[in-house]
Amino acid sequence: MKRRDVLKLSAASLFAAVGPGCASTSKIPPLLANAQKTQAWNTVLTASPGDFDHQVHKSAIDGVIPMALRNKRYLLNGPGRVAYNRYVAHPFDGHGYLRDFSFDDDGGVSLRARFVRTPSFVVEEKHQQVVVPGLGTLPEPGAPEVNVQVRNVANTTVVPYAGKWLAGWEGGLPYALDPATMRTTGAERFGDVLPGEGATLAHMRIDPVSGRLVTLSPTLGMKTGLVFNEFNADGQVVSTTTTEYDGMAFIHDFVVTPSHYILSKNPMTADLVAFAKAQMGVDVLLKALAADREQPGGLVVVPRSGQKGAPLTVVNFDVPAYVVHFGNAFEVGQGDGRHDLVVDMCAMPDVVFGNEFGYRGPRAELDPGLPDERQPQQVLRVSIPVDGARVATSASPKRIATHAMDFPRVALDQEGQNAPFLIAATSADTRRSDPFDSVAYVDLQDLERDETVWTPGQHRFVGEPVLFPADDAKSKGFVVAMVYDGLKASSTLVVLDAGAIDKGPIASATFPLLPYGFHGWPVV
């Protein structure tokens, strides 16, 4: 099915259409050579090379590193240890492992890799066991009791700001590292601004116009509380917006426009018995949470006002949609105080917590076929009319790509603006979702155009791509991504021409096998 045909689908049939590139309610046939794929996936997810330094000399680079990348850095965070003694933690609970790739002036690539030394990492390295309960993992039976109560693994994102590298996590504070030494300096509260208890989202945004870092600290319960903080280049808070709305929500990401904060509605329910078991340490928290299938999907729009108790608008969709990651959002003026909020996002019609990355428990292999049990992520675009302070309360998202995708990114300097294109991780087989094996380019100015895709080969996995700007006005910039080969025990950093990713890498540097990364950041 071509994208121009997909765009003609009604919103009600968005996730129900059958055909290549469309979600189907039927189970997809098993993958060929599934045993090899499973072996490769488990090797990548459980890889743990530890702290180390490695350089790929210019002579070992396949191709040539573009001059626009030289003296730049690519930072990547993700779980660097998920297993002790073959007892496998949920990847969400794997210890943060920060990778600093430096594009050297002479055309080589250097790597520094260090664990984020949170209290849970330190105590588990000491005991060489899973001893701290996590979101999806219980301590290994017989593990000693320890003083660390919160398994903050700082493994999800990395954002350079105010002279620090901030390693983010979903359920607590970010941890700061010194860029010069990569030494972990401790939990970061920006003075006493971020809450010491509770969560600050791993995802943070930097407004390219003001240069401010924007964080979101939610509180979950019968009401969902939101605290948005904006920090200047010195790390001083300059704006705080607070608000709340009824119901419990799953919040992982958000986007910022000049006038608004936008996050996913993602309604959830909690099983009180399962929650009590998690509190008692006899079961995991992820089992206590479930999608609220009685409510429609949607977004929450908050004015970027710096107010306490700011008004907000819940925008309901006419389809189920659980949004994990946003690509971008921007405003289109319509005159007379009116504008449209245009939001690009990756969404699924349903979520099941606990089996992410194919996790099946601490004594079982990770199963890369588990994502095929659900309908895959789709790239959606929605336009929300805004008239003064009034935001429309309903909207119809439209699918804008045939492939299943996630980890969507636009150039950092184009966030909050009408970006020309989006890149994302995807699968070559349009019927399938993660683990991703390809990189995609989506033209946001010509939504009739099919996306462009590059695939490195069978049983290789692709992480989140990031964009580096070009030094030539004729170029669209460069895409940098990691390719993981569990069968050959290697990881390759690839550089693609953003305007021609289907032609393959213009440069690549191969490293020893590194564990799968979650989110990265281009330092320019």
Side-chain angles (χ1 to χ4, degrees):
M1 181 179 289
K2 295 292 186 181
R3 190 195 298 188
R4 58 180 173 270
D5 298 320
V6 174
L7 293 174
K8 293 177 183 178
L9 296 172
S10 69
S13 64
L14 189 64
F15 289 105
V18 177
C22 299
S24 168
T25 56
S26 61
K27 187 176 179 180
I28 296 173
L31 289 167
L32 296 175
N34 188 55
Q36 279 193 313
K37 183 174 182 179
T38 299
Q39 176 189 343
W41 185 234
N42 279 266
T43 301
V44 169
L45 263 291
T46 59
S48 188
D51 293 352
F52 79 108
D53 298 75
H54 189 91
Q55 183 180 35
V56 178
H57 190 266
K58 174 184 176 180
S59 61
I61 300 292
D62 187 1
V64 177
I65 299 294
M67 293 301 297
L69 267 61
R70 301 197 187 183
N71 296 313
K72 308 293 193 304
R73 317 184 91 93
Y74 164 48
L75 303 179
L76 178 63
N77 196 2
R81 186 186 291 281
V82 299
Y84 291 95
N85 307 316
R86 298 186 180 180
Y87 188 86
V88 182
H90 190 294
F92 284 172
D93 293 326
H95 293 296
Y97 186 63
L98 191 60
R99 283 142 276 191
D100 168 28
F101 295 92
S102 174
F103 296 100
D104 300 331
D105 183 61
D106 65 358
V109 181
S110 299
L111 168 66
R112 297 185 298 168
R114 301 288 187 273
F115 280 104
V116 185
R117 283 169 161 74
T118 64
S120 58
F121 170 80
V122 172
V123 73
E124 292 195 343
E125 285 293 285
K126 174 184 176 181
H127 292 283
Q128 288 293 295
Q129 279 184 290
V130 176
V131 297
V132 184
L135 296 173
T137 313
L138 292 177
E140 185 175 353
E145 292 188 8
V146 295
N147 292 328
V148 179
Q149 302 300 315
V150 177
R151 190 184 182 85
N152 184 335
V153 287
N155 70 359
T156 310
T157 59
V158 55
V159 178
Y161 203 73
K164 303 174 183 179
W165 290 347
L166 303 176
W169 180 63
E170 211 70 320
L173 292 167
Y175 268 72
L177 289 87
D178 180 339
T181 63
M182 293 190 74
R183 181 178 65 87
T184 304
T185 58
E188 180 61 60
R189 293 189 61 194
F190 290 95
D192 288 325
V193 177
L194 297 184
E197 301 292 334
T200 292
L201 288 193
H203 282 280
M204 298 167 256
R205 297 283 175 174
I206 295 180
D207 181 341
V209 176
S210 67
R212 294 178 179 180
L213 175 75
V214 185
T215 66
L216 170 55
S217 300
T219 54
L220 303 183
M222 298 304 293
K223 288 183 177 291
T224 296
L226 306 172
V227 180
F228 296 91
N229 284 299
E230 301 193 14
F231 300 92
N232 64 18
D234 296 323
Q236 302 297 312
V237 65
V238 291
S239 175
T240 299
T241 301
T242 67
T243 188
E244 66 176 13
Y245 61 100
D246 291 335
M248 180 185 296
F250 160 60
I251 306 171
H252 176 71
D253 194 8
F254 69 103
V255 276
V256 180
T257 73
S259 303
H260 303 279
Y261 308 113
I262 304 164
L263 58 145
S264 50
K265 178 185 173 185
N266 289 356
M268 286 196 315
T269 61
D271 183 318
L272 296 182
V273 173
F275 185 78
K277 289 182 177 180
Q279 294 295 99
M280 293 186 291
V282 297
D283 213 339
V284 297
L285 181 61
L286 285 180
K287 287 187 179 180
L289 305 176
D292 186 349
R293 297 172 182 85
E294 300 300 318
Q295 294 192 51
L299 299 174
V300 177
V301 178
V302 181
R304 195 174 167 186
S305 61
Q307 291 180 260
K308 182 177 181 180
L312 60 75
T313 302
V314 175
V315 183
N316 289 313
F317 294 164
D318 50 6
V319 293
Y322 279 81
V323 181
V324 180
H325 293 118
F326 289 93
N328 192 28
F330 59 96
E331 301 173 10
V332 179
Q334 302 294 344
D336 299 325
R338 296 178 296 114
H339 65 270
D340 289 339
L341 282 176
V342 181
V343 186
D344 294 328
M345 58 204 145
C346 290
M348 296 174 286
D350 196 6
V351 293
V352 177
F353 296 105
N355 62 8
E356 297 83 1
F357 300 95
Y359 188 70
R360 298 189 297 125
R363 300 294 186 187
E365 282 189 315
L366 299 160
D367 181 0
L370 272 185
D372 290 340
E373 299 292 330
R374 60 164 164 79
Q375 296 175 18
Q377 303 96 316
Q378 305 295 346
V379 184
L380 306 181
R381 168 168 282 194
V382 67
S383 184
I384 305 167
V386 179
D387 186 352
R390 296 192 299 275
V391 180
T393 57
S394 62
S396 297
K398 290 180 168 50
R399 183 175 169 190
I400 62 172
T402 58
H403 285 73
M405 298 183 193
D406 210 336
F407 298 141
R409 299 290 294 262
V410 300
L412 291 179
D413 63 353
Q414 294 169 348
E415 289 195 357
Q417 303 167 49
N418 189 359
F421 64 91
L422 172 152
I423 59 170
T426 188
S427 295
D429 185 339
T430 58
R431 301 168 300 167
R432 289 194 157 88
S433 185
D434 49 301
F436 298 115
D437 60 19
S438 305
V439 178
Y441 170 103
V442 180
D443 189 333
L444 298 176
Q445 304 303 311
D446 182 5
L447 296 179
E448 292 287 324
R449 178 184 171 190
D450 288 339
E451 57 266 28
T452 305
V453 174
W454 171 72
T455 304
Q458 192 176 32
H459 304 321
R460 295 183 175 95
F461 307 104
V462 173
E464 175 197 58
V466 299
L467 269 168
F468 282 81
D471 55 3
D472 181 348
K474 296 180 181 179
S475 172
K476 294 184 177 181
F478 300 99
V479 177
V480 172
M482 294 301 300
V483 177
Y484 305 89
D485 189 331
L487 298 182
K488 292 185 178 180
S490 65
S491 299
T492 303
L493 182 150
V494 297
V495 180
L496 305 163
D497 181 341
I501 66 169
D502 55 325
K503 294 182 179 179
I506 58 176
S508 59
T510 299
F511 294 85
L513 182 62
L514 298 166
Y516 194 78
F518 286 166
H519 294 287
W521 196 275
V523 182
V524 298

